[in-house]
């Protein structure tokens, strides 16, 4: 049914149906909308493939990266260790396979005077070296941590013995401590000496200790410098405001701040001092000084287990004892550190 109306004097016809509204979309919207619809219509699995883009690795993948390191550790560390433990229960010699003897080698250790002499020297060496290597590098690090003109020269000078060969260092000190060496010649000028640095039992052991300390100062100095760099300056400033002097700030601020580093240095230097070999071997000779009185445990292992008639089984038993003692030292140091933290 239609109706007629007058608009501007002219008749206008109206139908019963309303005209549909027209929507004009922008070209960009039409293009994007059409593209999205075509993509979803043409690729129904697109969203699923996007989710599968992050691939999960197989459980064995991390072990493949660790495999080279594990092989090296197993061949050059684990297998020799297990072989040494097994040999300690045999009478194996250098050219003879040996038979199982149980704990006979360990029983012989208890009655071997040379073993107890070597154990005494190793313990004394550790007791004499460790306190010096814990305290002196810390003081040295505090002296060279500030940036001053020429401080780089002193840092390099203190660190030079670390990179020097232990053989070269040992020979230099042997020439200096000899009866006709530099030190005894200097003492002779003032009417003292010659001092038997390399022939007296205890002076020889003390001389070896000093060489170990001299060579290790630079290494542990660097360790302490890294720790001192993390100590907040505000702590020292607050202590100074409270009237604390340099010595008091050292014990109340510096030492507590680097205590964990001191424990680390103590553990490392204890193990290294207990297993000392090169310094004593070079300065005391292959026999361990006069009558072998300066022999250490590692030197005893070399003396007993090498040569055509070397007792490999007995030397392996000494090696196991050294391992157990060093492991016990590490555990004691860590346990003491945990108690202080608690």
């Amino acid at each position: 049914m239609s109706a007629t109306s007058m608009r501007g004097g002219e008749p206008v016809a109206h139908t019963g149906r309303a005209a549909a509204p027209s929507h004009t979309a922008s070209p960009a919207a039409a293009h994007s909308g059409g593209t999205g619809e075509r993509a979803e219509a043409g690729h129904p699995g697109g969203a699923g493939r996007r989710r599968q883009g992050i691939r999960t690795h197989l459980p064995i993948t991390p072990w493949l990266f660790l495999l080279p390191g594990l092989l090296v550790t197993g061949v050059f560390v684990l297998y020799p260790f297990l072989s040494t433990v097994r040999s300690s229960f045999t009478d194996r010699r250098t050219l003879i396979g040996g038979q199982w003897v149980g704990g006979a080698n360990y029983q012989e250790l208890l009655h071997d005077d040379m073993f107890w002499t070597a154990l005494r020297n190793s313990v004394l060496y550790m007791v004499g070296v460790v306190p010096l290597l814990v305290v002196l590098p810390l003081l040295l690090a505090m002296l060279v941590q500030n940036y001053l003109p020429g401080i780089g020269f002193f840092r390099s000078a203190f660190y030079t013995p670390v990179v020097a060969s232990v053989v070269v260092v040992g020979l230099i000190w042997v020439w200096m401590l000899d009866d006709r060496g530099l030190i005894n010649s200097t003492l002779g000028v003032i009417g003292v000496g010659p001092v038997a640095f390399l022939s007296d039992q205890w002076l020889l052991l003390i001389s070896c200790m000093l060489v170990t300390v001299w060579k290790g100062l630079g290494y542990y100095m660097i360790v302490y410098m890294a720790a001192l760099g993390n100590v907040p300056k505000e702590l020292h400033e607050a202590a100074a405001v409270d009237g604390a002097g340099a010595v008091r700030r050292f014990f109340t601020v510096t030492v507590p701040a680097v205590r964990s580093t001191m424990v680390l240095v103590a553990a490392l230097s204890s193990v290294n001092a207990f297993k000392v070999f090169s310094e004593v071997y070079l300065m005391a000779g292959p026999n361990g000084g006069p009558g072998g009185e300066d022999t250490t445990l590692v030197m005893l292992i070399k003396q007993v287990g090498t040569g055509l008639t070397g007792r490999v089984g007995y030397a392996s038993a000494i090696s196991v004892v050294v391992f157990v003692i060093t492991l016990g030292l590490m555990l004691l140091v860590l346990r003491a550190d945990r108690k202080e933290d608690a």
Side-chain angles (χ1 to χ4, degrees), residues 53-86:
I54 303 177
R55 298 179 180 178
T56 58
H57 297 287
L58 297 176
I60 197 176
T61 302
W63 294 101
L64 294 177
F65 288 99
L66 295 175
L67 183 60
L70 293 176
L71 288 176
V72 172
T73 303
V75 172
F76 295 102
V77 178
L78 184 59
Y79 174 75
F81 172 75
L82 297 177
S83 179
T84 300
V85 174
R86 180 184 178 280

Side-chain angles (χ1 to χ4, degrees), residues 5-47:
S5 62
M6 297 296 294
R7 177 178 298 176
E10 296 181 357
V12 178
H14 295 277
T15 60
R17 292 175 299 177
S22 62
H23 299 279
T24 304
S26 64
H31 175 73
S32 60
T35 304
E37 292 174 359
R38 286 195 300 270
E40 293 181 359
H43 303 280

Side-chain angles (χ1 to χ4, degrees), residues 57-338:
H57 297 287
L58 297 176
I60 197 176
T61 302
W63 294 101
L64 294 177
F65 288 99
L66 295 175
L67 183 60
L70 293 176
L71 288 176
V72 172
T73 303
V75 172
F76 295 102
V77 178
L78 184 59
Y79 174 75
F81 172 75
L82 297 177
S83 179
T84 300
V85 174
R86 180 184 178 280
S87 298
S88 67
F89 295 99
T90 66
D91 59 353
R92 179 184 174 187
R93 293 182 177 270
T94 303
L95 301 177
I96 303 175
Q99 297 179 352
W100 187 269
V101 295
N105 290 325
Y106 294 96
Q107 293 178 358
E108 184 178 352
L109 286 177
L110 299 177
H111 304 90
D112 188 355
D113 293 336
M114 184 56 68
F115 168 76
W116 291 107
T117 299
L119 179 61
R120 178 203 64 192
N121 292 333
S122 296
V123 173
L124 290 176
Y125 206 95
M126 180 184 63
V127 172
V129 166
V130 172
L132 296 177
L133 284 180
V134 171
V135 177
L136 293 182
L138 176 58
L139 300 178
L140 204 60
M142 295 182 63
L143 291 176
V144 301
Q145 69 171 341
N146 297 324
Y147 292 96
L148 299 175
I151 198 65
F153 169 78
F154 292 98
R155 291 178 180 177
S156 301
F158 293 144
Y159 192 76
T160 299
V162 179
V163 299
S165 171
V166 65
V167 177
V168 175
V169 171
L171 292 177
I172 291 175
W173 279 95
V174 167
W175 294 335
M176 293 178 62
L177 297 175
D178 190 70
D179 291 343
R180 298 181 180 180
L182 177 63
I183 295 179
N184 274 317
S185 298
T186 305
L187 293 176
V189 174
I190 60 177
V192 179
V195 181
F197 291 109
L198 302 180
S199 57
D200 182 80
Q201 172 188 352
W202 299 112
L203 286 179
L204 177 56
L205 193 64
I206 293 174
S207 300
C208 295
M209 293 179 186
L210 294 178
V211 174
T212 300
V213 173
W214 179 76
K215 185 170 174 53
L217 279 176
Y219 176 79
Y220 296 115
M221 177 194 72
I222 297 298
V223 176
Y224 278 125
M225 287 181 63
L228 291 173
N230 295 325
V231 179
K233 295 182 179 180
E234 291 78 6
L235 296 178
H236 290 279
E237 295 173 355
V241 170
D242 291 339
V247 176
R248 186 177 178 183
R249 290 200 306 271
F250 173 77
F251 286 103
T252 58
V253 178
T254 304
V255 172
V258 300
R259 185 174 58 82
S260 59
T261 305
M262 296 177 69
V263 172
L264 174 63
V265 172
L268 295 177
S269 59
S270 297
V271 173
N272 293 330
F274 191 79
K275 299 189 302 179
V276 65
F277 172 78
S278 300
E279 292 89 335
V280 180
Y281 184 82
L282 292 170
M283 300 181 66
N287 296 324
E293 290 297 325
D294 292 302
T295 302
T296 60
L297 284 175
V298 179
M299 287 189 64
L300 182 61
I301 294 172
K302 186 263 177 188
Q303 295 172 2
V304 173
T306 57
L308 296 177
T309 59
R311 300 179 59 190
V312 178
Y314 188 62
S316 299
I318 302 176
S319 302
V320 173
V321 172
V322 172
F323 170 76
V324 172
I325 294 176
T326 53
L327 180 62
L329 289 174
M330 294 289 291
L331 295 177
L332 286 176
V333 172
L334 295 176
R335 183 180 181 86
D337 182 48
R338 290 180 180 178

